[in-house]
Amino acid sequence: MTRRNAHTQGRHTIRDVAARAGVSASTVSRVLAGDYPVSAATRSRVMRAVRDLDYVADARAKAVAGAGTPTLAFVLDDITGPSFALMAHGVEREATRLGHLCLVCSTEGDTEQQLAFVEMMRAQRAAAVILVGGAADTAEYQESMTRIAESLRSVGSRLVLCGRPPLGHAAPVTVIEYDNEGGAQAVCAHLLARGHRRILLLAGKPGHSTSEGRARGYAEAHRTLGLDPDPALLLPGDFTRDSGYRRTRQALADGLEFTAVFATTDMVAAGALTALHEAGLDVPGDVSLAGYDDIPFARDLHPALTTVHVPYEELGRLAVRTALGSDPDGPYEHLLLGTHVVVRDSVRDLRGAGGKAPSRAR
């Protein structure tokens, strides 16, 4: 069955959803409320039926719309990530200033959980839903996000993609980005300008939009100087401290020669720094190190970390201001914030020093 147009919404009942999903009406209610454990398979069937029928829980929506504090939703993969926490802080502060209640959902990368939360916010007529963080920029992603945006618009809400890949021009979505690729290019150009020619790249997961953008910036900085980075120096992983630690230890154990490390987050850089210190290598005397994000502890590492500043709090505040200050049926904005390199003490100038890599890993 195809999705119905917005003007036909409300004709389906919770029993229709239950029949289509092959479950009881009470199970549908539990899935939509999110307050009772159900299996992943059951939740998936229910949410598919909700989407197919374009179902909105009208009774709850009317209750929320008619009284109480207006809400907006902030959806992210991991609330413990420092950059996400900074953005969440910006969202919460701006929402409070504008008299809105901010609901935060951490999905841990679970797409079904994300969809369930968005559907719940749609049912409650949330003023806006802000989705944060990179994603796989695929046709499936484009289709899913466009469907979510259209669904929210049908109830007077708005989808905001913050630091996520934009959609086509026709999609009813607001996009708030930062210059992800440009920041990586700038910090790698900083390393190259100081004589580094073998820069270890501790990248993120292949296919992830944030990771891919930073890898492109790394490559473009080299190409600008007519250089081809050694593919052996590109090590994929994830954006955690432990991943940075493990990959740096492995690079040293494998005998890779490098004079600098570009870690694609400051958390990755922190792990790399520990691994270098444990190997008896001085930073920046033996190996230089640069990160990305400029989260607060970057200045407190030893040495203080050269990194890329991303205005995460401002991204959060701007996402709220743009979403709440816009007509859901009006034009959709695409805003880009700048990034810049913060130079501290973790990069050594090799010009005139021969640009030699560390002679051994200990």
Side-chain angles (χ1 to χ4, degrees):
M1 181 181 292
T2 58
R3 288 167 53 83
R4 297 179 176 238
N5 294 330
H7 71 272
T8 65
Q9 69 167 1
R11 294 183 180 178
H12 291 293
T13 69
I14 196 169
R15 294 185 182 279
D16 296 326
V17 176
R20 187 173 183 83
V23 299
S24 68
S26 60
T27 296
V28 174
S29 178
R30 289 166 180 167
V31 169
L32 295 177
D35 59 1
Y36 192 89
V38 297
S39 71
T42 298
R43 183 175 64 184
S44 180
R45 291 203 309 274
V46 169
M47 295 314 302
R48 187 179 301 114
V50 167
R51 292 193 295 273
D52 288 347
L53 299 178
D54 203 22
Y55 171 75
V56 174
D58 288 323
R60 179 170 55 180
K62 291 175 182 177
V64 173
T69 304
T71 62
L72 62 86
F74 181 73
V75 186
L76 70 168
D77 285 346
D78 180 13
I79 192 64
T80 65
S83 57
F84 285 152
L86 286 170
M87 201 179 301
H89 184 59
V91 167
E92 192 277 331
R93 289 184 64 184
E94 193 66 16
T96 299
R97 188 182 72 81
L98 296 174
H100 280 63
L101 175 67
C102 179
L103 301 180
V104 177
C105 175
S106 179
T107 67
E108 297 184 357
D110 185 334
T111 302
E112 288 297 327
Q113 184 177 350
Q114 173 184 285
L115 291 174
F117 187 72
V118 170
E119 289 292 346
M120 183 165 60
M121 290 299 97
R122 176 176 179 260
Q124 294 186 3
R125 304 296 203 272
V129 175
I130 302 170
L131 296 183
V132 176
D137 193 4
T138 62
E140 182 181 10
Y141 164 82
Q142 298 271 342
E143 180 182 351
S144 175
M145 290 298 103
T146 299
R147 185 169 62 245
I148 288 173
E150 291 172 346
S151 176
L152 290 169
R153 181 174 62 176
S154 74
V155 295
S157 185
R158 174 169 292 233
L159 177 66
V160 181
L161 300 180
C162 200
R164 279 194 168 213
L167 308 179
H169 294 297
V173 61
T174 294
V175 178
I176 312 291
E177 289 190 284
Y178 59 91
D179 191 3
N180 182 45
E181 182 175 332
Q185 183 175 348
V187 76
C188 289
H190 175 75
L191 292 169
L192 291 165
R194 279 143 189 81
H196 296 278
R197 292 297 181 266
R198 293 189 60 81
I199 303 171
L200 183 69
L201 173 62
L202 300 181
K205 295 178 180 178
H208 186 275
S209 60
T210 302
S211 174
E212 293 288 347
R214 295 178 190 183
R216 286 194 301 270
Y218 168 88
E220 185 59 31
H222 285 77
R223 280 195 295 268
T224 299
L225 295 180
L227 303 172
D228 291 319
D230 184 349
L233 295 177
L234 194 160
L235 303 182
D238 59 47
F239 285 157
T240 64
R241 178 265 177 205
D242 288 347
S243 177
Y245 176 79
R246 288 193 303 269
R247 283 181 285 164
T248 303
R249 282 181 59 91
Q250 189 62 53
L252 293 170
D254 290 345
L256 283 179
E257 291 190 355
F258 52 91
T259 64
V261 177
F262 170 41
T264 46
T265 73
D266 291 346
M267 292 299 293
V268 172
L273 181 63
T274 299
L276 291 168
H277 284 165
E278 287 182 356
L281 297 171
D282 179 70
V283 177
D286 295 315
V287 180
S288 292
L289 177 64
Y292 200 116
D293 288 334
D294 195 25
I295 58 180
F297 82 74
R299 72 195 70 175
D300 297 321
L301 295 175
H302 183 70
L305 185 66
T306 290
T307 186
V308 177
H309 177 78
V310 181
Y312 285 116
E313 283 200 44
E314 179 56 25
L315 279 166
R317 290 193 294 266
L318 186 60
V320 174
R321 288 198 301 270
T322 303
L324 298 184
S326 302
D327 178 0
D329 295 319
Y332 291 86
E333 297 181 84
H334 187 163
L335 306 177
L336 179 68
L337 276 63
T339 54
H340 64 269
V341 177
V342 179
V343 177
R344 296 195 177 103
D345 303 325
S346 62
V347 174
R348 178 189 177 196
D349 194 334
L350 289 187
R351 290 171 295 184
K356 294 181 180 179
S359 59
R360 63 191 179 96
R362 298 171 192 166

mmCIF file of all heavy atoms in Angstrom, residues 94-133:
data_model
loop_
_atom_site.group_PDB
_atom_site.id
_atom_site.type_symbol
_atom_site.label_atom_id
_atom_site.label_comp_id
_atom_site.label_asym_id
_atom_site.label_seq_id
_atom_site.Cartn_x
_atom_site.Cartn_y
_atom_site.Cartn_z
ATOM 1 N N GLU A 94 19.283 27.400 23.651
ATOM 2 C CA GLU A 94 18.489 28.232 22.755
ATOM 3 C C GLU A 94 17.008 27.877 22.845
ATOM 4 O O GLU A 94 16.149 28.758 22.815
ATOM 5 C CB GLU A 94 18.982 28.081 21.318
ATOM 6 C CG GLU A 94 18.435 29.118 20.359
ATOM 7 C CD GLU A 94 18.908 30.526 20.658
ATOM 8 O OE1 GLU A 94 19.897 30.690 21.422
ATOM 9 O OE2 GLU A 94 18.296 31.471 20.133
ATOM 10 N N ALA A 95 16.703 26.583 22.973
ATOM 11 C CA ALA A 95 15.311 26.176 23.119
ATOM 12 C C ALA A 95 14.708 26.761 24.392
ATOM 13 O O ALA A 95 13.573 27.264 24.388
ATOM 14 C CB ALA A 95 15.216 24.647 23.137
ATOM 15 N N THR A 96 15.471 26.704 25.488
ATOM 16 C CA THR A 96 14.988 27.278 26.746
ATOM 17 C C THR A 96 14.770 28.777 26.618
ATOM 18 O O THR A 96 13.764 29.319 27.080
ATOM 19 C CB THR A 96 15.996 26.986 27.873
ATOM 20 O OG1 THR A 96 16.130 25.570 28.030
ATOM 21 C CG2 THR A 96 15.541 27.607 29.188
ATOM 22 N N ARG A 97 15.690 29.457 25.974
ATOM 23 C CA ARG A 97 15.563 30.906 25.792
ATOM 24 C C ARG A 97 14.307 31.273 25.015
ATOM 25 O O ARG A 97 13.658 32.300 25.286
ATOM 26 C CB ARG A 97 16.795 31.441 25.057
ATOM 27 C CG ARG A 97 16.868 32.966 24.968
ATOM 28 C CD ARG A 97 18.075 33.429 24.183
ATOM 29 N NE ARG A 97 17.932 33.176 22.763
ATOM 30 C CZ ARG A 97 17.249 33.963 21.927
ATOM 31 N NH1 ARG A 97 16.633 35.042 22.378
ATOM 32 N NH2 ARG A 97 17.175 33.666 20.642
ATOM 33 N N LEU A 98 13.932 30.408 24.074
ATOM 34 C CA LEU A 98 12.768 30.671 23.234
ATOM 35 C C LEU A 98 11.489 30.051 23.801
ATOM 36 O O LEU A 98 10.445 30.079 23.148
ATOM 37 C CB LEU A 98 13.025 30.151 21.823
ATOM 38 C CG LEU A 98 14.168 30.852 21.061
ATOM 39 C CD1 LEU A 98 14.429 30.159 19.732
ATOM 40 C CD2 LEU A 98 13.846 32.327 20.849
ATOM 41 N N GLY A 99 11.579 29.476 25.011
ATOM 42 C CA GLY A 99 10.389 28.953 25.667
ATOM 43 C C GLY A 99 9.941 27.595 25.199
ATOM 44 O O GLY A 99 8.756 27.250 25.315
ATOM 45 N N HIS A 100 10.864 26.785 24.695
ATOM 46 C CA HIS A 100 10.528 25.446 24.226
ATOM 47 C C HIS A 100 11.184 24.394 25.122
ATOM 48 O O HIS A 100 12.258 24.610 25.673
ATOM 49 C CB HIS A 100 11.000 25.230 22.794
ATOM 50 C CG HIS A 100 10.091 25.828 21.769
ATOM 51 N ND1 HIS A 100 9.853 27.190 21.688
ATOM 52 C CD2 HIS A 100 9.366 25.252 20.772
ATOM 53 C CE1 HIS A 100 9.021 27.431 20.673
ATOM 54 N NE2 HIS A 100 8.712 26.271 20.118
ATOM 55 N N LEU A 101 10.523 23.256 25.206
ATOM 56 C CA LEU A 101 11.077 22.092 25.887
ATOM 57 C C LEU A 101 11.895 21.298 24.880
ATOM 58 O O LEU A 101 11.433 21.029 23.764
ATOM 59 C CB LEU A 101 9.954 21.221 26.446
ATOM 60 C CG LEU A 101 10.365 19.886 27.083
ATOM 61 C CD1 LEU A 101 11.167 20.129 28.343
ATOM 62 C CD2 LEU A 101 9.126 19.042 27.367
ATOM 63 N N CYS A 102 13.112 20.922 25.240
ATOM 64 C CA CYS A 102 13.984 20.165 24.348
ATOM 65 C C CYS A 102 14.047 18.714 24.813
ATOM 66 O O CYS A 102 14.424 18.441 25.954
ATOM 67 C CB CYS A 102 15.387 20.779 24.321
ATOM 68 S SG CYS A 102 16.544 19.893 23.253
ATOM 69 N N LEU A 103 13.678 17.791 23.943
ATOM 70 C CA LEU A 103 13.768 16.365 24.232
ATOM 71 C C LEU A 103 14.956 15.784 23.478
ATOM 72 O O LEU A 103 15.098 16.015 22.276
ATOM 73 C CB LEU A 103 12.483 15.650 23.800
ATOM 74 C CG LEU A 103 11.182 16.143 24.450
ATOM 75 C CD1 LEU A 103 10.001 15.343 23.920
ATOM 76 C CD2 LEU A 103 11.265 16.025 25.962
ATOM 77 N N VAL A 104 15.813 15.037 24.172
ATOM 78 C CA VAL A 104 17.017 14.482 23.571
ATOM 79 C C VAL A 104 16.881 12.972 23.458
ATOM 80 O O VAL A 104 16.487 12.302 24.416
ATOM 81 C CB VAL A 104 18.273 14.835 24.404
ATOM 82 C CG1 VAL A 104 19.515 14.196 23.800
ATOM 83 C CG2 VAL A 104 18.439 16.350 24.494
ATOM 84 N N CYS A 105 17.196 12.442 22.281
ATOM 85 C CA CYS A 105 17.183 10.994 22.069
ATOM 86 C C CYS A 105 18.548 10.561 21.561
ATOM 87 O O CYS A 105 19.030 11.073 20.548
ATOM 88 C CB CYS A 105 16.111 10.604 21.061
ATOM 89 S SG CYS A 105 16.110 8.838 20.634
ATOM 90 N N SER A 106 19.190 9.616 22.269
ATOM 91 C CA SER A 106 20.453 9.036 21.839
ATOM 92 C C SER A 106 20.161 7.657 21.273
ATOM 93 O O SER A 106 19.686 6.772 21.994
ATOM 94 C CB SER A 106 21.424 8.937 23.018
ATOM 95 O OG SER A 106 22.635 8.347 22.621
ATOM 96 N N THR A 107 20.423 7.461 19.969
ATOM 97 C CA THR A 107 20.003 6.237 19.287
ATOM 98 C C THR A 107 21.076 5.172 19.220
ATOM 99 O O THR A 107 20.794 4.032 18.838
ATOM 100 C CB THR A 107 19.572 6.555 17.845
ATOM 101 O OG1 THR A 107 20.721 6.986 17.091
ATOM 102 C CG2 THR A 107 18.507 7.646 17.827
ATOM 103 N N GLU A 108 22.334 5.523 19.537
ATOM 104 C CA GLU A 108 23.458 4.596 19.414
ATOM 105 C C GLU A 108 23.536 3.983 18.013
ATOM 106 O O GLU A 108 23.903 2.829 17.825
ATOM 107 C CB GLU A 108 23.377 3.498 20.478
ATOM 108 C CG GLU A 108 23.473 4.058 21.898
ATOM 109 C CD GLU A 108 23.485 2.984 22.961
ATOM 110 O OE1 GLU A 108 23.368 1.787 22.600
ATOM 111 O OE2 GLU A 108 23.628 3.322 24.146
ATOM 112 N N GLY A 109 23.168 4.793 17.007
ATOM 113 C CA GLY A 109 23.254 4.345 15.626
ATOM 114 C C GLY A 109 22.141 3.424 15.174
ATOM 115 O O GLY A 109 22.189 2.893 14.063
ATOM 116 N N ASP A 110 21.110 3.222 15.986
ATOM 117 C CA ASP A 110 19.997 2.341 15.657
ATOM 118 C C ASP A 110 18.983 3.103 14.806
ATOM 119 O O ASP A 110 18.257 3.969 15.299
ATOM 120 C CB ASP A 110 19.340 1.842 16.946
ATOM 121 C CG ASP A 110 18.240 0.813 16.693
ATOM 122 O OD1 ASP A 110 17.648 0.834 15.605
ATOM 123 O OD2 ASP A 110 17.981 0.003 17.599
ATOM 124 N N THR A 111 18.920 2.785 13.512
ATOM 125 C CA THR A 111 18.033 3.504 12.591
ATOM 126 C C THR A 111 16.575 3.340 12.969
ATOM 127 O O THR A 111 15.788 4.290 12.890
ATOM 128 C CB THR A 111 18.256 3.007 11.152
ATOM 129 O OG1 THR A 111 19.617 3.201 10.793
ATOM 130 C CG2 THR A 111 17.379 3.776 10.173
ATOM 131 N N GLU A 112 16.179 2.146 13.380
ATOM 132 C CA GLU A 112 14.788 1.916 13.763
ATOM 133 C C GLU A 112 14.403 2.748 14.978
ATOM 134 O O GLU A 112 13.296 3.281 15.069
ATOM 135 C CB GLU A 112 14.558 0.427 14.029
ATOM 136 C CG GLU A 112 14.544 -0.426 12.779
ATOM 137 C CD GLU A 112 13.403 -0.080 11.834
ATOM 138 O OE1 GLU A 112 12.335 0.309 12.328
ATOM 139 O OE2 GLU A 112 13.583 -0.186 10.610
ATOM 140 N N GLN A 113 15.316 2.862 15.943
ATOM 141 C CA GLN A 113 15.042 3.684 17.120
ATOM 142 C C GLN A 113 14.896 5.145 16.719
ATOM 143 O O GLN A 113 14.041 5.867 17.239
ATOM 144 C CB GLN A 113 16.149 3.524 18.154
ATOM 145 C CG GLN A 113 15.875 4.274 19.457
ATOM 146 C CD GLN A 113 16.961 4.036 20.496
ATOM 147 O OE1 GLN A 113 17.816 3.179 20.332
ATOM 148 N NE2 GLN A 113 16.923 4.808 21.560
ATOM 149 N N GLN A 114 15.743 5.588 15.794
ATOM 150 C CA GLN A 114 15.644 6.965 15.308
ATOM 151 C C GLN A 114 14.286 7.212 14.675
ATOM 152 O O GLN A 114 13.625 8.218 14.960
ATOM 153 C CB GLN A 114 16.745 7.231 14.286
ATOM 154 C CG GLN A 114 16.645 8.578 13.594
ATOM 155 C CD GLN A 114 17.702 8.747 12.527
ATOM 156 O OE1 GLN A 114 18.862 8.973 12.829
ATOM 157 N NE2 GLN A 114 17.313 8.620 11.272
ATOM 158 N N LEU A 115 13.845 6.295 13.814
ATOM 159 C CA LEU A 115 12.555 6.452 13.151
ATOM 160 C C LEU A 115 11.404 6.437 14.150
ATOM 161 O O LEU A 115 10.445 7.201 14.018
ATOM 162 C CB LEU A 115 12.368 5.352 12.105
ATOM 163 C CG LEU A 115 13.279 5.424 10.881
ATOM 164 C CD1 LEU A 115 13.095 4.197 10.004
ATOM 165 C CD2 LEU A 115 13.017 6.695 10.085
ATOM 166 N N ALA A 116 11.507 5.557 15.150
ATOM 167 C CA ALA A 116 10.451 5.488 16.164
ATOM 168 C C ALA A 116 10.343 6.799 16.924
ATOM 169 O O ALA A 116 9.231 7.290 17.189
ATOM 170 C CB ALA A 116 10.733 4.333 17.128
ATOM 171 N N PHE A 117 11.473 7.386 17.272
ATOM 172 C CA PHE A 117 11.460 8.649 18.009
ATOM 173 C C PHE A 117 10.903 9.768 17.138
ATOM 174 O O PHE A 117 10.112 10.602 17.608
ATOM 175 C CB PHE A 117 12.868 8.987 18.475
ATOM 176 C CG PHE A 117 12.945 10.181 19.386
ATOM 177 C CD1 PHE A 117 12.492 10.110 20.693
ATOM 178 C CD2 PHE A 117 13.458 11.391 18.931
ATOM 179 C CE1 PHE A 117 12.562 11.207 21.532
ATOM 180 C CE2 PHE A 117 13.535 12.494 19.766
ATOM 181 C CZ PHE A 117 13.086 12.396 21.067
ATOM 182 N N VAL A 118 11.294 9.807 15.873
ATOM 183 C CA VAL A 118 10.773 10.839 14.972
ATOM 184 C C VAL A 118 9.267 10.708 14.832
ATOM 185 O O VAL A 118 8.534 11.704 14.849
ATOM 186 C CB VAL A 118 11.464 10.754 13.594
ATOM 187 C CG1 VAL A 118 10.762 11.664 12.586
ATOM 188 C CG2 VAL A 118 12.926 11.147 13.700
ATOM 189 N N GLU A 119 8.778 9.488 14.690
ATOM 190 C CA GLU A 119 7.330 9.284 14.576
ATOM 191 C C GLU A 119 6.607 9.752 15.840
ATOM 192 O O GLU A 119 5.518 10.329 15.774
ATOM 193 C CB GLU A 119 7.022 7.804 14.305
ATOM 194 C CG GLU A 119 7.395 7.334 12.918
ATOM 195 C CD GLU A 119 6.537 7.956 11.829
ATOM 196 O OE1 GLU A 119 5.485 8.542 12.145
ATOM 197 O OE2 GLU A 119 6.917 7.869 10.652
ATOM 198 N N MET A 120 7.212 9.500 16.993
ATOM 199 C CA MET A 120 6.604 9.943 18.238
ATOM 200 C C MET A 120 6.548 11.470 18.286
ATOM 201 O O MET A 120 5.551 12.060 18.707
ATOM 202 C CB MET A 120 7.388 9.405 19.439
ATOM 203 C CG MET A 120 6.770 9.762 20.789
ATOM 204 S SD MET A 120 7.457 8.781 22.134
ATOM 205 C CE MET A 120 9.185 9.211 22.048
ATOM 206 N N MET A 121 7.626 12.136 17.833
ATOM 207 C CA MET A 121 7.637 13.588 17.805
ATOM 208 C C MET A 121 6.633 14.141 16.794
ATOM 209 O O MET A 121 6.019 15.181 17.007
ATOM 210 C CB MET A 121 9.041 14.094 17.479
ATOM 211 C CG MET A 121 10.067 13.869 18.584
ATOM 212 S SD MET A 121 9.639 14.719 20.145
ATOM 213 C CE MET A 121 8.845 13.377 21.057
ATOM 214 N N ARG A 122 6.468 13.438 15.701
ATOM 215 C CA ARG A 122 5.453 13.844 14.724
ATOM 216 C C ARG A 122 4.063 13.748 15.337
ATOM 217 O O ARG A 122 3.224 14.643 15.166
ATOM 218 C CB ARG A 122 5.557 12.947 13.487
ATOM 219 C CG ARG A 122 4.479 13.202 12.439
ATOM 220 C CD ARG A 122 4.737 12.314 11.223
ATOM 221 N NE ARG A 122 3.714 12.510 10.215
ATOM 222 C CZ ARG A 122 2.681 11.701 10.025
ATOM 223 N NH1 ARG A 122 2.540 10.633 10.797
ATOM 224 N NH2 ARG A 122 1.803 11.937 9.073
ATOM 225 N N ALA A 123 3.807 12.654 16.048
ATOM 226 C CA ALA A 123 2.508 12.487 16.698
ATOM 227 C C ALA A 123 2.233 13.586 17.704
ATOM 228 O O ALA A 123 1.088 14.001 17.894
ATOM 229 C CB ALA A 123 2.445 11.119 17.380
ATOM 230 N N GLN A 124 3.282 14.089 18.345
ATOM 231 C CA GLN A 124 3.136 15.132 19.347
ATOM 232 C C GLN A 124 3.219 16.539 18.764
ATOM 233 O O GLN A 124 3.208 17.525 19.497
ATOM 234 C CB GLN A 124 4.209 14.957 20.425
ATOM 235 C CG GLN A 124 4.028 13.678 21.235
ATOM 236 C CD GLN A 124 5.003 13.568 22.390
ATOM 237 O OE1 GLN A 124 5.787 14.473 22.634
ATOM 238 N NE2 GLN A 124 4.962 12.459 23.097
ATOM 239 N N ARG A 125 3.296 16.625 17.444
ATOM 240 C CA ARG A 125 3.372 17.918 16.757
ATOM 241 C C ARG A 125 4.559 18.746 17.270
ATOM 242 O O ARG A 125 4.436 19.948 17.526
ATOM 243 C CB ARG A 125 2.086 18.727 16.928
ATOM 244 C CG ARG A 125 0.799 18.043 16.494
ATOM 245 C CD ARG A 125 0.769 17.746 15.006
ATOM 246 N NE ARG A 125 -0.582 17.612 14.505
ATOM 247 C CZ ARG A 125 -1.276 16.479 14.487
ATOM 248 N NH1 ARG A 125 -0.731 15.381 14.985
ATOM 249 N NH2 ARG A 125 -2.494 16.436 13.975
ATOM 250 N N ALA A 126 5.707 18.109 17.441
ATOM 251 C CA ALA A 126 6.904 18.850 17.852
ATOM 252 C C ALA A 126 7.180 19.963 16.847
ATOM 253 O O ALA A 126 6.952 19.807 15.645
ATOM 254 C CB ALA A 126 8.108 17.914 17.935
ATOM 255 N N ALA A 127 7.682 21.073 17.341
ATOM 256 C CA ALA A 127 7.949 22.208 16.457
ATOM 257 C C ALA A 127 9.009 21.878 15.424
ATOM 258 O O ALA A 127 8.954 22.336 14.276
ATOM 259 C CB ALA A 127 8.385 23.411 17.290
ATOM 260 N N ALA A 128 10.004 21.078 15.812
ATOM 261 C CA ALA A 128 11.070 20.694 14.897
ATOM 262 C C ALA A 128 11.759 19.446 15.421
ATOM 263 O O ALA A 128 11.751 19.180 16.626
ATOM 264 C CB ALA A 128 12.087 21.824 14.737
ATOM 265 N N VAL A 129 12.363 18.711 14.517
ATOM 266 C CA VAL A 129 13.198 17.568 14.859
ATOM 267 C C VAL A 129 14.576 17.830 14.255
ATOM 268 O O VAL A 129 14.701 18.032 13.042
ATOM 269 C CB VAL A 129 12.631 16.249 14.318
ATOM 270 C CG1 VAL A 129 13.597 15.101 14.592
ATOM 271 C CG2 VAL A 129 11.272 15.950 14.947
ATOM 272 N N ILE A 130 15.597 17.841 15.113
ATOM 273 C CA ILE A 130 16.967 18.124 14.688
ATOM 274 C C ILE A 130 17.756 16.823 14.722
ATOM 275 O O ILE A 130 17.945 16.225 15.780
ATOM 276 C CB ILE A 130 17.624 19.172 15.613
ATOM 277 C CG1 ILE A 130 16.795 20.459 15.626
ATOM 278 C CG2 ILE A 130 19.055 19.456 15.175
ATOM 279 C CD1 ILE A 130 17.244 21.460 16.688
ATOM 280 N N LEU A 131 18.207 16.366 13.553
ATOM 281 C CA LEU A 131 19.027 15.168 13.455
ATOM 282 C C LEU A 131 20.483 15.590 13.297
ATOM 283 O O LEU A 131 20.807 16.411 12.438
ATOM 284 C CB LEU A 131 18.607 14.312 12.257
ATOM 285 C CG LEU A 131 17.196 13.718 12.277
ATOM 286 C CD1 LEU A 131 16.984 12.837 11.056
ATOM 287 C CD2 LEU A 131 16.955 12.925 13.539
ATOM 288 N N VAL A 132 21.358 15.001 14.117
ATOM 289 C CA VAL A 132 22.744 15.467 14.223
ATOM 290 C C VAL A 132 23.721 14.356 13.867
ATOM 291 O O VAL A 132 23.480 13.179 14.157
ATOM 292 C CB VAL A 132 23.018 15.957 15.660
ATOM 293 C CG1 VAL A 132 24.472 16.341 15.826
ATOM 294 C CG2 VAL A 132 22.117 17.129 15.980
ATOM 295 N N GLY A 133 24.849 14.745 13.260
ATOM 296 C CA GLY A 133 25.942 13.813 13.029
ATOM 297 C C GLY A 133 25.945 13.246 11.629
ATOM 298 O O GLY A 133 24.950 13.306 10.895
#
